[in-house]
Coordinates of all heavy atoms in Angstrom, one line a residue:
V771 N 26.5 -42.6 -12.5 CA 27.7 -42.6 -11.7 C 27.2 -42.5 -10.2 O 26.4 -41.6 -9.8 CB 28.7 -41.4 -12.0 CG1 29.8 -41.3 -11.0 CG2 29.2 -41.6 -13.4
Q772 N 27.7 -43.4 -9.5 CA 27.3 -43.5 -8.0 C 28.5 -43.0 -7.1 O 28.1 -42.4 -6.1 CB 27.0 -45.0 -7.7 CG 26.3 -45.2 -6.5 CD 24.9 -44.8 -6.5 OE1 24.3 -44.6 -7.6 NE2 24.2 -44.9 -5.4
C773 N 29.8 -43.3 -7.4 CA 30.9 -42.8 -6.7 C 32.1 -42.8 -7.5 O 32.2 -43.4 -8.5 CB 31.1 -43.6 -5.5 SG 31.4 -45.3 -5.8
L774 N 33.1 -41.8 -7.1 CA 34.4 -41.6 -7.8 C 35.4 -41.8 -6.9 O 35.4 -41.5 -5.7 CB 34.4 -40.3 -8.3 CG 33.4 -39.8 -9.4 CD1 33.5 -38.4 -9.7 CD2 33.5 -40.6 -10.7
L775 N 36.7 -42.3 -7.5 CA 37.9 -42.5 -6.7 C 39.1 -42.2 -7.4 O 39.3 -42.9 -8.4 CB 38.0 -44.0 -6.2 CG 39.2 -44.4 -5.4 CD1 39.4 -43.7 -4.2 CD2 39.4 -45.9 -5.2
P776 N 39.7 -41.0 -7.2 CA 40.9 -40.7 -8.0 C 42.0 -41.7 -7.5 O 42.1 -41.9 -6.3 CB 41.3 -39.3 -7.5 CG 40.4 -39.0 -6.3 CD 39.3 -40.0 -6.3
I777 N 42.9 -42.1 -8.5 CA 43.9 -43.0 -8.2 C 45.2 -42.3 -8.6 O 45.6 -42.4 -9.8 CB 43.8 -44.4 -8.9 CG1 42.5 -45.0 -8.5 CG2 44.9 -45.3 -8.6 CD1 42.1 -46.3 -9.3
D778 N 45.8 -41.7 -7.7 CA 47.0 -40.8 -8.0 C 48.1 -41.7 -8.6 O 49.0 -41.1 -9.5 CB 47.5 -40.1 -6.8 CG 46.5 -39.2 -6.2 OD1 45.7 -38.6 -6.9 OD2 46.4 -39.0 -4.9
L779 N 48.3 -42.9 -8.2 CA 49.5 -43.7 -8.6 C 49.4 -44.1 -10.1 O 50.3 -44.6 -10.6 CB 49.6 -45.0 -7.7 CG 50.0 -44.7 -6.3 CD1 49.9 -46.1 -5.4 CD2 51.3 -44.0 -6.2
S780 N 48.2 -44.1 -10.7 CA 48.0 -44.4 -12.1 C 47.5 -43.2 -12.9 O 47.2 -43.6 -14.1 CB 47.2 -45.7 -12.2 OG 45.8 -45.3 -11.9
L781 N 47.4 -42.1 -12.4 CA 46.8 -41.0 -13.1 C 45.4 -41.3 -13.7 O 45.1 -41.1 -14.8 CB 47.8 -40.4 -14.2 CG 49.2 -40.1 -13.8 CD1 50.0 -39.8 -15.0 CD2 49.1 -38.9 -12.9
G782 N 44.6 -42.0 -12.8 CA 43.4 -42.5 -13.3 C 42.2 -42.3 -12.4 O 42.4 -41.6 -11.4
L783 N 41.1 -42.7 -12.6 CA 39.9 -42.5 -11.9 C 39.1 -43.8 -12.0 O 38.9 -44.3 -13.1 CB 39.1 -41.3 -12.6 CG 37.9 -40.9 -11.9 CD1 38.2 -40.3 -10.5 CD2 37.2 -39.8 -12.8
A784 N 38.6 -44.3 -10.8 CA 37.8 -45.5 -10.7 C 36.3 -44.8 -10.5 O 36.1 -43.9 -9.7 CB 38.1 -46.3 -9.6
I785 N 35.4 -45.4 -11.3 CA 34.0 -44.9 -11.3 C 33.0 -46.1 -11.0 O 33.0 -47.0 -11.7 CB 33.6 -44.3 -12.7 CG1 34.6 -43.1 -13.1 CG2 32.1 -43.8 -12.7 CD1 34.6 -42.8 -14.6
G786 N 32.4 -45.9 -9.8 CA 31.3 -46.9 -9.5 C 30.0 -46.5 -10.0 O 29.5 -45.4 -9.8
L787 N 29.4 -47.4 -10.7 CA 28.2 -47.2 -11.4 C 26.9 -47.8 -10.6 O 27.1 -48.8 -9.9 CB 28.1 -47.7 -12.8 CG 29.3 -47.1 -13.7 CD1 29.4 -47.8 -15.1 CD2 29.1 -45.6 -14.0
E788 N 25.8 -47.2 -11.0 CA 24.6 -47.5 -10.3 C 24.2 -49.0 -10.7 O 23.6 -49.7 -9.8 CB 23.5 -46.6 -10.6 CG 22.3 -46.8 -9.8 CD 21.2 -45.7 -10.1 OE1 21.6 -44.6 -10.5 OE2 20.1 -46.0 -9.9
D789 N 24.5 -49.4 -11.7 CA 24.2 -50.9 -12.2 C 25.2 -51.9 -11.7 O 25.2 -53.1 -12.1 CB 24.0 -51.0 -13.7 CG 25.4 -50.7 -14.5 OD1 26.4 -50.4 -13.9 OD2 25.2 -50.7 -15.7
G790 N 26.2 -51.5 -10.8 CA 27.2 -52.4 -10.2 C 28.4 -52.5 -11.0 O 29.3 -53.2 -10.6
R791 N 28.6 -51.9 -12.1 CA 29.8 -51.9 -13.0 C 30.8 -51.0 -12.3 O 30.6 -50.0 -11.8 CB 29.6 -51.6 -14.4 CG 28.8 -52.7 -15.1 CD 28.5 -52.3 -16.6 NE 27.8 -51.0 -16.6 CZ 27.9 -50.2 -17.8 NH1 28.6 -50.5 -18.7 NH2 27.3 -49.1 -17.6
L792 N 32.2 -51.3 -12.6 CA 33.2 -50.5 -12.1 C 34.0 -50.1 -13.5 O 34.4 -51.0 -14.2 CB 34.2 -51.2 -11.2 CG 35.6 -50.5 -11.0 CD1 35.3 -49.3 -10.1 CD2 36.6 -51.4 -10.3
A793 N 34.1 -48.8 -13.8 CA 34.7 -48.2 -14.9 C 36.0 -47.6 -14.5 O 36.1 -46.9 -13.5 CB 33.8 -47.2 -15.7
L794 N 37.2 -48.0 -15.2 CA 38.5 -47.3 -15.0 C 38.8 -46.4 -16.1 O 38.8 -46.7 -17.2 CB 39.5 -48.5 -14.9 CG 39.3 -49.5 -13.8 CD1 40.2 -50.5 -13.9 CD2 39.3 -48.9 -12.3
Y795 N 39.2 -45.1 -15.7 CA 39.3 -44.1 -16.7 C 40.7 -43.5 -16.5 O 41.3 -43.4 -15.5 CB 38.3 -42.9 -16.4 CG 38.2 -41.9 -17.4 CD1 37.4 -42.1 -18.6 CD2 38.8 -40.7 -17.3 CE1 37.3 -41.2 -19.6 CE2 38.7 -39.7 -18.3 CZ 37.9 -40.0 -19.4 OH 37.7 -39.1 -20.4
D796 N 41.4 -43.4 -17.8 CA 42.8 -42.9 -17.8 C 42.8 -41.4 -18.1 O 42.3 -41.0 -19.1 CB 43.5 -43.7 -19.0 CG 45.0 -43.2 -19.1 OD1 45.3 -42.3 -18.4 OD2 45.6 -43.8 -19.8
L797 N 43.2 -40.7 -17.1 CA 43.1 -39.3 -17.1 C 44.0 -38.6 -18.2 O 43.9 -37.5 -18.7 CB 43.2 -38.5 -15.8 CG 42.0 -38.9 -14.9 CD1 42.4 -38.3 -13.5 CD2 40.7 -38.2 -15.4
A798 N 45.3 -39.3 -18.3 CA 46.2 -38.9 -19.2 C 45.9 -38.9 -20.7 O 46.0 -38.1 -21.5 CB 47.5 -39.6 -19.0
E799 N 45.1 -40.1 -21.0 CA 44.7 -40.3 -22.4 C 43.2 -39.9 -22.6 O 42.7 -39.9 -23.8 CB 44.8 -41.8 -22.8 CG 46.3 -42.2 -22.8 CD 47.0 -41.5 -23.9 OE1 46.5 -41.3 -25.0 OE2 48.2 -41.3 -23.6
M800 N 42.5 -39.6 -21.5 CA 41.0 -39.1 -21.5 C 40.2 -40.2 -22.2 O 39.4 -39.9 -23.1 CB 40.9 -37.7 -22.2 CG 41.8 -36.6 -21.5 SD 41.2 -36.4 -19.8 CE 39.6 -35.6 -20.0
Q801 N 40.3 -41.4 -21.7 CA 39.5 -42.5 -22.2 C 39.2 -43.6 -21.1 O 40.0 -43.8 -20.2 CB 40.1 -43.1 -23.4 CG 41.5 -43.7 -23.1 CD 42.1 -44.3 -24.5 OE1 41.6 -44.3 -25.5 NE2 43.3 -44.9 -24.4
I802 N 38.2 -44.4 -21.3 CA 38.0 -45.6 -20.5 C 38.8 -46.7 -20.9 O 39.0 -47.0 -22.1 CB 36.5 -46.0 -20.5 CG1 35.5 -44.9 -19.9 CG2 36.2 -47.3 -19.8 CD1 34.0 -45.1 -20.1
I803 N 39.6 -47.2 -19.9 CA 40.6 -48.3 -20.2 C 39.9 -49.7 -19.9 O 40.4 -50.7 -20.4 CB 41.9 -48.1 -19.6 CG1 41.7 -48.0 -18.1 CG2 42.6 -46.8 -20.2 CD1 43.0 -47.9 -17.4
H804 N 38.9 -49.7 -19.0 CA 38.3 -51.0 -18.7 C 37.0 -50.9 -18.0 O 36.8 -49.9 -17.3 CB 39.3 -51.8 -17.8 CG 38.8 -53.2 -17.3 ND1 38.8 -54.2 -18.3 CD2 38.3 -53.7 -16.3 CE1 38.3 -55.2 -17.8 NE2 38.0 -55.0 -16.6
I805 N 36.1 -51.7 -18.3 CA 34.8 -51.9 -17.6 C 34.7 -53.2 -16.9 O 34.6 -54.1 -17.7 CB 33.6 -51.4 -18.4 CG1 33.8 -50.0 -18.8 CG2 32.3 -51.6 -17.6 CD1 32.7 -49.5 -19.7
A806 N 34.6 -53.3 -15.6 CA 34.4 -54.5 -15.0 C 33.0 -54.8 -14.7 O 32.2 -54.0 -14.0 CB 35.2 -54.6 -13.5
T807 N 32.4 -55.9 -15.4 CA 31.0 -56.1 -15.2 C 30.9 -57.4 -14.4 O 31.4 -58.4 -14.6 CB 30.4 -56.3 -16.6 OG1 30.7 -55.4 -17.5 CG2 28.9 -56.6 -16.6
P808 N 29.9 -57.2 -13.2 CA 29.8 -58.4 -12.4 C 29.1 -59.5 -13.2 O 28.3 -59.4 -14.1 CB 28.9 -57.9 -11.4 CG 28.4 -56.6 -11.7 CD 29.2 -56.1 -12.9
E809 N 29.5 -60.8 -12.8 CA 28.9 -62.0 -13.4 C 27.3 -62.2 -13.3 O 26.7 -62.7 -14.1 CB 29.7 -63.3 -12.9 CG 31.1 -63.4 -13.3 CD 31.7 -64.6 -12.8 OE1 31.0 -65.6 -12.5 OE2 32.9 -64.6 -12.8
Q810 N 27.0 -61.7 -12.1 CA 25.5 -61.8 -11.9 C 25.1 -60.3 -11.5 O 25.8 -59.5 -11.2 CB 25.2 -62.8 -10.7 CG 26.1 -62.5 -9.5 CD 26.1 -63.6 -8.4 OE1 25.1 -64.4 -8.6 NE2 26.8 -63.5 -7.5
A811 N 23.7 -60.2 -11.5 CA 23.2 -58.8 -11.1 C 23.5 -58.5 -9.6 O 23.5 -59.3 -8.7 CB 21.6 -59.0 -11.2
I812 N 24.1 -57.3 -9.5 CA 24.6 -56.9 -8.2 C 24.2 -55.5 -7.9 O 23.9 -54.8 -8.8 CB 26.2 -57.1 -8.1 CG1 26.7 -57.1 -6.7 CG2 26.8 -56.1 -8.9 CD1 28.0 -57.7 -6.5
A813 N 24.2 -55.1 -6.6 CA 23.7 -53.8 -6.3 C 24.7 -52.7 -6.7 O 25.9 -52.9 -7.0 CB 23.6 -53.9 -4.7
P814 N 24.2 -51.4 -6.6 CA 25.0 -50.3 -7.0 C 26.2 -50.2 -6.1 O 26.3 -50.6 -5.0 CB 24.1 -49.1 -6.8 CG 22.7 -49.6 -6.7 CD 22.8 -51.1 -6.2
I815 N 27.4 -49.7 -6.7 CA 28.6 -49.5 -6.0 C 28.4 -48.1 -5.2 O 28.1 -47.1 -5.8 CB 29.7 -49.3 -6.9 CG1 30.1 -50.8 -7.6 CG2 31.2 -48.9 -6.1 CD1 31.2 -50.6 -8.6
V816 N 28.5 -48.2 -3.9 CA 28.4 -47.0 -3.0 C 29.6 -46.5 -2.5 O 29.8 -45.3 -2.0 CB 27.4 -47.3 -1.9 CG1 26.0 -47.6 -2.5 CG2 27.9 -48.5 -1.1
K817 N 30.8 -47.2 -2.5 CA 32.0 -46.8 -1.9 C 33.2 -47.6 -2.7 O 33.1 -48.7 -3.0 CB 32.0 -47.0 -0.5 CG 33.4 -46.7 0.2 CD 33.5 -45.3 0.5 CE 34.8 -44.9 1.3 NZ 35.2 -43.6 1.1
L818 N 34.3 -46.8 -3.0 CA 35.5 -47.4 -3.5 C 36.7 -47.0 -2.7 O 36.7 -45.9 -2.2 CB 35.7 -46.8 -5.0 CG 34.6 -47.2 -6.1 CD1 34.8 -46.3 -7.4 CD2 34.8 -48.6 -6.4
S819 N 37.7 -47.9 -2.7 CA 38.9 -47.6 -2.0 C 40.0 -48.5 -2.7 O 39.7 -49.4 -3.4 CB 38.9 -48.1 -0.5 OG 40.0 -47.7 0.1
Y820 N 41.2 -48.0 -2.7 CA 42.3 -48.8 -3.3 C 43.5 -49.0 -2.3 O 43.6 -48.1 -1.4 CB 42.7 -48.2 -4.6 CG 43.6 -47.0 -4.5 CD1 45.1 -47.0 -4.4 CD2 43.2 -45.6 -4.6 CE1 45.8 -46.0 -4.4 CE2 43.9 -44.6 -4.6 CZ 45.2 -44.7 -4.5 OH 46.0 -43.6 -4.4
L821 N 44.3 -49.9 -2.6 CA 45.4 -50.3 -1.7 C 46.5 -50.7 -2.6 O 46.3 -51.5 -3.5 CB 45.0 -51.4 -0.8 CG 46.1 -52.1 0.0 CD1 46.7 -51.2 1.1 CD2 45.5 -53.4 0.6
E822 N 47.7 -50.2 -2.4 CA 48.9 -50.7 -3.1 C 49.7 -51.6 -2.2 O 50.2 -51.3 -1.1 CB 49.9 -49.6 -3.6 CG 51.1 -50.1 -4.3 CD 52.2 -49.0 -4.2 OE1 52.0 -48.0 -3.7 OE2 53.2 -49.4 -4.7
P823 N 49.7 -52.9 -2.5 CA 50.6 -53.9 -1.5 C 52.0 -53.6 -1.7 O 52.6 -53.8 -2.8 CB 50.0 -55.2 -2.1 CG 49.7 -55.0 -3.4 CD 49.2 -53.6 -3.6
L824 N 52.7 -53.2 -0.6 CA 54.1 -52.9 -0.7 C 55.0 -54.1 -0.9 O 56.2 -54.0 -1.4 CB 54.5 -52.2 0.5 CG 53.8 -50.8 0.8 CD1 54.2 -50.3 2.1 CD2 54.1 -49.8 -0.4
D825 N 54.6 -55.3 -0.6 CA 55.4 -56.5 -0.6 C 55.0 -57.3 -1.8 O 55.5 -58.5 -1.9 CB 55.2 -57.3 0.7 CG 53.8 -57.8 0.9 OD1 52.9 -57.2 0.2 OD2 53.6 -58.6 1.8
D826 N 54.3 -56.9 -2.7 CA 53.8 -57.7 -3.9 C 54.9 -57.4 -5.0 O 55.1 -56.2 -5.3 CB 52.5 -57.3 -4.5 CG 51.9 -58.3 -5.3 OD1 52.7 -58.8 -6.1 OD2 50.6 -58.5 -5.3
P827 N 55.5 -58.4 -5.7 CA 56.7 -58.2 -6.7 C 56.0 -57.6 -8.0 O 56.7 -57.1 -8.8 CB 57.2 -59.4 -6.9 CG 56.2 -60.5 -6.5 CD 55.4 -59.8 -5.3
R828 N 54.6 -57.8 -8.2 CA 54.0 -57.3 -9.4 C 53.7 -55.8 -9.2 O 53.6 -55.3 -8.1 CB 52.7 -58.0 -9.6 CG 52.8 -59.5 -9.8 CD 51.5 -60.2 -9.8 NE 50.8 -60.0 -8.6 CZ 49.6 -60.3 -8.3 NH1 48.8 -60.8 -9.3 NH2 49.0 -60.1 -7.2
H829 N 53.6 -55.1 -10.3 CA 53.1 -53.7 -10.2 C 51.6 -53.6 -10.2 O 51.0 -53.7 -11.2 CB 53.8 -52.8 -11.4 CG 55.2 -53.2 -11.7 ND1 56.1 -52.7 -10.7 CD2 55.9 -53.7 -12.6 CE1 57.3 -53.0 -11.2 NE2 57.2 -53.6 -12.3
C830 N 51.1 -53.6 -9.1 CA 49.6 -53.8 -8.9 C 49.0 -52.8 -7.9 O 49.6 -52.4 -7.0 CB 49.2 -55.2 -8.7 SG 49.5 -55.8 -7.2
L831 N 47.7 -52.6 -8.1 CA 46.8 -52.0 -7.1 C 45.6 -52.9 -7.0 O 45.1 -53.6 -7.8 CB 46.2 -50.6 -7.6 CG 47.3 -49.6 -7.9 CD1 46.7 -48.4 -8.6 CD2 48.0 -49.2 -6.6
Y832 N 44.9 -52.9 -5.8 CA 43.7 -53.5 -5.5 C 42.6 -52.4 -5.2 O 42.9 -51.4 -4.5 CB 43.9 -54.4 -4.2 CG 44.9 -55.5 -4.3 CD1 45.9 -55.6 -3.6 CD2 44.5 -56.5 -5.3 CE1 46.8 -56.6 -3.7 CE2 45.5 -57.6 -5.4 CZ 46.6 -57.7 -4.6 OH 47.5 -58.6 -4.7
I833 N 41.5 -52.7 -5.9 CA 40.4 -51.7 -5.7 C 39.3 -52.5 -5.1 O 38.8 -53.6 -5.6 CB 39.9 -51.1 -7.0 CG1 41.0 -50.3 -7.7 CG2 38.6 -50.3 -6.8 CD1 40.6 -49.6 -9.0
W834 N 38.9 -52.0 -4.0 CA 37.7 -52.5 -3.1 C 36.5 -51.7 -3.7 O 36.4 -50.6 -3.6 CB 37.8 -52.4 -1.7 CG 38.7 -53.5 -1.1 CD1 39.9 -53.3 -0.7 CD2 38.4 -54.8 -0.8 NE1 40.5 -54.4 -0.2 CE2 39.5 -55.3 -0.2 CE3 37.2 -55.6 -1.0 CZ2 39.5 -56.7 0.2 CZ3 37.3 -56.9 -0.6 CH2 38.5 -57.4 -0.1
A835 N 35.4 -52.6 -4.1 CA 34.2 -51.8 -4.4 C 33.1 -52.3 -3.5 O 32.8 -53.6 -3.5 CB 33.8 -52.3 -5.9
M836 N 32.5 -51.4 -2.8 CA 31.2 -51.9 -1.8 C 30.1 -51.6 -2.6 O 29.7 -50.5 -3.1 CB 31.5 -50.9 -0.6 CG 32.7 -51.1 0.1 SD 33.0 -52.6 1.0 CE 31.8 -52.5 2.2
H837 N 29.2 -52.7 -2.6 CA 27.9 -52.7 -3.1 C 26.8 -52.7 -2.2 O 27.0 -53.5 -1.1 CB 27.7 -54.0 -4.1 CG 28.7 -54.0 -5.2 ND1 28.4 -53.5 -6.4 CD2 30.0 -54.5 -5.2 CE1 29.4 -53.7 -7.2 NE2 30.5 -54.3 -6.5
E838 N 25.8 -52.0 -2.2 CA 24.7 -52.0 -1.2 C 23.4 -51.9 -2.0 O 23.2 -51.2 -2.8 CB 24.8 -50.7 -0.3 CG 23.8 -50.8 0.8 CD 23.9 -49.5 1.7 OE1 24.5 -48.6 1.3 OE2 23.4 -49.7 2.8
N839 N 22.5 -52.8 -1.6 CA 21.1 -52.8 -2.0 C 20.0 -52.4 -1.1 O 18.8 -52.7 -1.4 CB 20.8 -54.2 -2.8 CG 20.7 -55.2 -1.7 OD1 20.7 -55.0 -0.5 ND2 20.5 -56.6 -2.2
G840 N 20.3 -51.9 0.0 CA 19.4 -51.6 1.1 C 19.3 -52.7 2.1 O 18.9 -52.4 3.3
D841 N 19.4 -54.0 1.7 CA 19.3 -55.0 2.7 C 20.6 -55.6 3.0 O 20.8 -56.1 4.2 CB 18.3 -56.1 2.1 CG 16.9 -55.7 1.9 OD1 16.4 -54.9 2.7 OD2 16.3 -56.2 1.0
S842 N 21.6 -55.5 2.1 CA 22.9 -56.1 2.4 C 24.0 -55.2 1.8 O 23.7 -54.5 0.9 CB 22.9 -57.6 1.8 OG 22.8 -57.5 0.4
L843 N 25.1 -55.6 2.3 CA 26.3 -54.9 1.8 C 27.4 -55.9 1.5 O 27.5 -56.9 2.2 CB 26.9 -54.0 3.0 CG 28.2 -53.2 2.7 CD1 27.9 -52.1 1.8 CD2 28.7 -52.6 3.9
S844 N 28.0 -55.8 0.4 CA 29.0 -56.8 -0.1 C 30.2 -56.1 -0.7 O 30.1 -54.9 -1.1 CB 28.4 -57.7 -1.1 OG 28.0 -57.1 -2.2
A845 N 31.3 -56.6 -0.7 CA 32.6 -56.1 -1.3 C 33.1 -57.1 -2.3 O 33.1 -58.3 -2.2 CB 33.6 -56.0 -0.2
V846 N 33.7 -56.4 -3.4 CA 34.3 -57.1 -4.5 C 35.7 -56.5 -4.7 O 35.9 -55.3 -4.7 CB 33.5 -57.0 -5.8 CG1 34.1 -57.7 -6.9 CG2 32.1 -57.4 -5.7
L847 N 36.7 -57.4 -4.7 CA 38.1 -56.9 -4.8 C 38.5 -57.1 -6.3 O 38.3 -58.2 -7.0 CB 39.1 -57.9 -4.1 CG 40.4 -57.6 -4.1 CD1 40.7 -56.2 -3.5 CD2 41.3 -58.6 -3.4
H848 N 39.0 -56.0 -7.0 CA 39.5 -55.9 -8.2 C 41.1 -55.8 -8.2 O 41.4 -54.9 -7.4 CB 38.8 -54.9 -9.1 CG 37.3 -54.8 -9.1 ND1 36.7 -55.5 -10.2 CD2 36.4 -54.3 -8.4 CE1 35.5 -55.4 -9.9 NE2 35.2 -54.7 -8.8
T849 N 41.8 -56.5 -9.2 CA 43.2 -56.3 -9.2 C 43.6 -55.6 -10.4 O 43.2 -56.2 -11.5 CB 43.8 -57.7 -9.0 OG1 43.4 -58.4 -7.9 CG2 45.4 -57.6 -9.1
L850 N 44.4 -54.5 -10.4 CA 44.9 -53.9 -11.6 C 46.4 -54.1 -11.6 O 47.2 -53.8 -10.7 CB 44.6 -52.4 -11.4 CG 43.2 -51.9 -11.3 CD1 43.2 -50.3 -11.1 CD2 42.4 -52.2 -12.5
I851 N 46.8 -54.8 -12.7 CA 48.2 -55.1 -13.0 C 48.8 -54.2 -14.0 O 48.3 -54.2 -15.1 CB 48.5 -56.6 -13.1 CG1 48.0 -57.4 -11.9 CG2 50.0 -56.7 -13.4 CD1 48.0 -58.8 -12.0
Y852 N 49.9 -53.4 -13.7 CA 50.4 -52.5 -14.6 C 51.8 -53.1 -15.1 O 52.4 -53.9 -14.5 CB 50.6 -51.1 -14.0 CG 49.4 -50.4 -13.6 CD1 48.9 -50.7 -12.4 CD2 48.8 -49.6 -14.6 CE1 47.6 -49.9 -12.1 CE2 47.6 -49.0 -14.2 CZ 47.0 -49.2 -12.9 OH 45.9 -48.6 -12.6
E853 N 52.2 -52.6 -16.4 CA 53.4 -53.0 -16.9 C 54.7 -52.4 -16.3 O 55.7 -53.1 -16.3 CB 53.3 -52.8 -18.3 CG 52.3 -53.6 -19.2 CD 52.2 -53.3 -20.6 OE1 53.1 -52.6 -21.1 OE2 51.3 -53.7 -21.2
K854 N 54.6 -51.2 -15.9 CA 55.7 -50.5 -15.4 C 55.4 -49.6 -14.1 O 54.3 -49.1 -14.0 CB 56.2 -49.3 -16.5 CG 56.6 -49.9 -17.8 CD 56.9 -48.7 -18.6 CE 57.3 -49.2 -20.1 NZ 57.6 -48.0 -20.9
R855 N 56.4 -49.4 -13.3 CA 56.4 -48.5 -12.1 C 57.5 -47.6 -12.3 O 58.7 -47.9 -12.3 CB 56.6 -49.3 -10.9 CG 56.6 -48.6 -9.6 CD 56.8 -49.4 -8.4 NE 56.9 -48.7 -7.3 CZ 56.9 -49.2 -6.0 NH1 56.7 -50.4 -5.9 NH2 57.0 -48.4 -5.0
L856 N 57.2 -46.3 -12.7 CA 58.2 -45.3 -12.8 C 58.4 -44.4 -11.8 O 57.5 -43.8 -11.1 CB 57.7 -44.5 -14.1 CG 57.4 -45.3 -15.4 CD1 56.7 -44.4 -16.4 CD2 58.7 -45.9 -15.8
A857 N 59.7 -44.1 -11.5 CA 60.0 -43.2 -10.2 C 60.2 -41.8 -10.9 O 60.8 -41.6 -11.9 CB 61.3 -43.7 -9.7
E858 N 59.8 -40.8 -10.0 CA 60.1 -39.4 -10.3 C 61.2 -38.9 -9.5 O 61.7 -39.6 -8.6 CB 58.8 -38.6 -10.0 CG 57.5 -39.0 -10.9 CD 56.4 -38.1 -10.6 OE1 56.3 -37.6 -9.5 OE2 55.5 -38.0 -11.5
K859 N 61.7 -37.8 -9.8 CA 62.9 -37.2 -9.1 C 62.7 -37.0 -7.6 O 63.5 -37.0 -6.8 CB 63.3 -36.0 -9.7 CG 63.9 -36.2 -11.2 CD 64.2 -34.8 -11.8 CE 64.8 -35.1 -13.2 NZ 65.0 -33.9 -14.0
D860 N 61.4 -36.6 -7.3 CA 61.1 -36.3 -5.9 C 60.8 -37.4 -5.0 O 60.4 -37.4 -3.9 CB 59.9 -35.4 -5.8 CG 58.7 -35.9 -6.5 OD1 58.7 -37.1 -6.9 OD2 57.6 -35.3 -6.6
G861 N 61.1 -38.7 -5.5 CA 60.9 -39.9 -4.7 C 59.5 -40.6 -4.8 O 59.4 -41.7 -4.4
F862 N 58.6 -39.9 -5.5 CA 57.3 -40.5 -5.7 C 57.3 -41.3 -7.0 O 58.4 -41.3 -7.8 CB 56.2 -39.4 -5.9 CG 55.9 -38.7 -4.5 CD1 56.6 -37.5 -4.3 CD2 55.2 -39.3 -3.6 CE1 56.3 -36.8 -3.1 CE2 54.9 -38.6 -2.4 CZ 55.4 -37.4 -2.1
Y863 N 56.4 -42.1 -7.2 CA 56.3 -42.9 -8.5 C 54.9 -43.1 -9.0 O 53.9 -42.7 -8.2 CB 56.9 -44.3 -8.2 CG 56.2 -45.1 -7.1 CD1 55.2 -45.9 -7.3 CD2 56.5 -44.8 -5.7 CE1 54.4 -46.5 -6.4 CE2 55.9 -45.6 -4.7 CZ 54.9 -46.3 -5.1 OH 54.1 -47.0 -4.0
Y864 N 54.8 -43.7 -10.2 CA 53.3 -43.9 -10.6 C 53.6 -45.2 -11.5 O 54.5 -45.6 -12.0 CB 52.9 -42.7 -11.4 CG 53.7 -42.3 -12.6 CD1 53.3 -42.7 -13.9 CD2 54.7 -41.4 -12.5 CE1 54.1 -42.4 -14.9 CE2 55.5 -41.0 -13.5 CZ 55.2 -41.5 -14.8 OH 55.8 -41.1 -15.9
F865 N 52.4 -45.7 -11.8 CA 52.2 -46.9 -12.6 C 51.8 -46.4 -14.1 O 51.2 -45.4 -14.3 CB 51.1 -47.8 -12.1 CG 51.6 -48.5 -10.7 CD1 50.8 -48.1 -9.6 CD2 52.5 -49.5 -10.7 CE1 51.1 -48.7 -8.4 CE2 52.8 -50.0 -9.5 CZ 52.0 -49.6 -8.3
E866 N 52.3 -47.2 -15.1 CA 51.9 -46.9 -16.4 C 51.7 -48.2 -17.2 O 52.5 -49.3 -16.9 CB 53.1 -46.1 -17.1 CG 52.8 -45.7 -18.5 CD 54.0 -44.9 -18.9 OE1 55.0 -45.6 -19.5 OE2 54.1 -43.6 -18.8
V867 N 50.8 -48.2 -18.2 CA 50.6 -49.2 -19.2 C 51.2 -48.7 -20.5 O 50.9 -47.5 -20.9 CB 49.1 -49.4 -19.3 CG1 48.9 -50.5 -20.3 CG2 48.5 -49.8 -18.0
S868 N 52.0 -49.6 -21.2 CA 52.6 -49.2 -22.4 C 51.7 -49.2 -23.4 O 50.8 -49.9 -23.5 CB 53.7 -50.1 -22.7 OG 54.8 -50.0 -21.6

């Protein structure tokens, strides 16, 4: 594990691995839900960040993964699309997969 990113909107965790893979972990179910493997050999993930696009009609999040190999830095954009967006009483909401 190279870096961690809690994703409050999905009750999950994004995990950047040293071999360049991105693992998505569901904290509610305590299991890995997806592993994104790069098509070609890529540097370790050193930083993760996510963004929720407010004007996108889909229920989605974007995760940026920054890869660094000592000589260069690159970014890969991952899109997570959820089935539901559930509102809570206090005005907050979260994403859920059925």
Side-chain angles (χ1 to χ4, degrees):
V771 173
Q772 197 71 10
C773 57
L774 298 172
L775 173 68
I777 303 174
D778 300 331
L779 295 174
S780 67
L781 304 174
L783 187 65
I785 304 165
L787 301 173
E788 191 173 329
D789 63 1
R791 294 180 298 155
L792 173 67
L794 301 172
Y795 194 80
D796 182 347
L797 293 172
E799 298 293 324
M800 300 301 287
Q801 64 182 356
I802 293 176
I803 57 172
H804 182 72
I805 296 179
T807 304
E809 293 181 19
Q810 55 191 346
I812 197 161
I815 296 176
V816 294
K817 177 75 175 161
L818 292 168
S819 183
Y820 76 88
L821 171 70
E822 178 201 2
L824 298 176
D825 59 349
D826 198 324
R828 300 173 297 173
H829 309 298
C830 69
L831 296 173
Y832 296 117
I833 296 180
W834 282 102
M836 300 292 289
H837 298 264
E838 183 179 24
N839 68 2
D841 295 329
S842 64
L843 182 67
S844 60
V846 177
L847 178 65
H848 301 270
T849 304
L850 302 175
I851 300 175
Y852 293 90
E853 294 175 10
K854 296 179 186 176
R855 179 178 171 170
L856 303 172
E858 295 182 338
K859 293 178 184 177
D860 57 6
F862 291 100
Y863 59 91
Y864 63 94
F865 294 110
E866 181 178 89
V867 177
S868 297

